[in-house]
Amino acid sequence: DVKVTQSSRYLVKRTGEKVFLECVQDMDHENMFWYRQDPGLGLRLIYFSYDVKMKEKGDIPEGYSVSREKKERFSLILESASTNQTSMYLCASRGAWGNTIYFGEGSWLTVV
Amino acid sequence: DAKTTQPPSMDCAEGRAANLPCNHSTISGNEYVYWYRQIHSQGPQYIIHGLKNNETNEMASLIITEDRKSSTLILPHATLRDTAVYYCISPMDSSYKLIFGSGTRLLVRP
């Protein structure tokens, strides 16, 4: 069964902390994505990666960075967490062109 | 990019068909149309996708107009569990970027 797994479902962090959100997919997909979702704003793309060590900025990359050292793993990093980064974060992956996109269950991050 | 436009909300009666429209007038020839839904607090769930032909699976049917500028997702017999936000998306053709709009909030009434 295909799966995108996000390491943490719920996190509470303090302002200024460095936060790592991990995502692993078991489908050998080339493309991986990080979104955040906020009420009334829909899903907004933070970063995506189309290959190992490759990344591109999405619509709201400020305050975030990513790492893709292995094909199956895509990490989102908040260098210095701020309260406006409180949100639900969604990881997704997709294979070759036209293939289905699979989402993880989401990580709810609260920054206090 | 192929921007999609959906009505913000719709409702239908349980047991009836739910028809959710989507406009994607700037879609290019090799861009697929995907439909997802999201129930509160969960990640989006894949429903169906298509390129130019109509598609059907165990969850829904997808009707794409001949000019590919719009599509309709059909839930043939809506149930209360189909209450969710439905997203129609179409990837960019060059950089594999996915762009989600605000979606349609479907309410299925008992």
Side-chain angles (χ1 to χ4, degrees), chain A residues 77-103:
Chain A
I77 304 153
L78 287 67
E79 297 290 342
S80 177
S82 63
T83 55
N84 62 14
Q85 293 179 309
T86 292
S87 186
M88 181 166 84
Y89 291 86
L90 286 161
C91 176
S93 76
R94 191 184 73 191
W97 188 250
N99 282 3
T100 301
I101 308 148
Y102 294 93
F103 284 86

Side-chain angles (χ1 to χ4, degrees), chain A residues 9 31 33 35 37 42-43 45 48 50 56 58-59 88 90 94 97-105 108, chain B residues 30-32 34 36 38 40-44 46 49 87 89 91-93 95-102:
Chain A
R9 190 86 168 96
N31 304 309
F33 310 83
Y35 292 86
Q37 185 173 33
L43 278 74
L45 181 65
F48 68 102
Y50 51 90
E56 284 202 27
D59 299 316
M88 181 166 84
L90 286 161
R94 191 184 73 191
W97 188 250
N99 282 3
T100 301
I101 308 148
Y102 294 93
F103 284 86
E105 279 301 300
W108 289 88
Chain B
N30 61 351
E31 290 179 328
Y32 283 76
Y34 289 84
Y36 284 77
Q38 188 174 24
H40 183 63
S41 303
Q42 299 179 20
Y46 166 76
H49 74 284
Y87 294 99
I89 68 169
M92 290 177 71
D93 58 359
S95 65
Y96 309 102
K97 185 175 176 180
L98 308 175
I99 299 175
F100 281 73
S102 298

Side-chain angles (χ1 to χ4, degrees), chain B residues 59-70:
Chain B
M59 289 182 68
S61 295
L62 174 61
I63 308 298
I64 302 175
T65 58
E66 194 168 337
D67 63 7
R68 300 209 330 120
K69 293 185 185 300
S70 65

Side-chain angles (χ1 to χ4, degrees), chain A residues 22-97:
Chain A
E22 305 284 345
C23 176
V24 177
Q25 49 97 0
D26 64 0
M27 296 161 283
D28 201 36
H29 281 170
E30 289 80 10
N31 304 309
M32 296 188 75
F33 310 83
W34 274 107
Y35 292 86
R36 66 177 281 178
Q37 185 173 33
D38 302 285
L41 296 177
L43 278 74
R44 293 182 292 168
L45 181 65
I46 305 171
Y47 268 96
F48 68 102
S49 169
Y50 51 90
D51 202 350
V52 174
K53 296 190 187 294
M54 306 304 288
K55 61 185 178 185
E56 284 202 27
K57 293 180 180 179
D59 299 316
I60 51 164
E62 296 78 20
Y64 304 94
S65 62
V66 290
S67 173
R68 186 132 181 238
E69 296 296 320
K70 294 185 177 182
K71 191 175 186 181
E72 68 271 17
R73 188 179 297 270
F74 192 36
S75 303
L76 179 69
I77 304 153
L78 287 67
E79 297 290 342
S80 177
S82 63
T83 55
N84 62 14
Q85 293 179 309
T86 292
S87 186
M88 181 166 84
Y89 291 86
L90 286 161
C91 176
S93 76
R94 191 184 73 191
W97 188 250

Side-chain angles (χ1 to χ4, degrees), chain B residues 69-84:
Chain B
K69 293 185 185 300
S70 65
S71 61
T72 300
L73 178 75
I74 301 171
L75 307 177
H77 306 287
T79 70
L80 299 180
R81 286 179 295 179
D82 292 323
T83 291

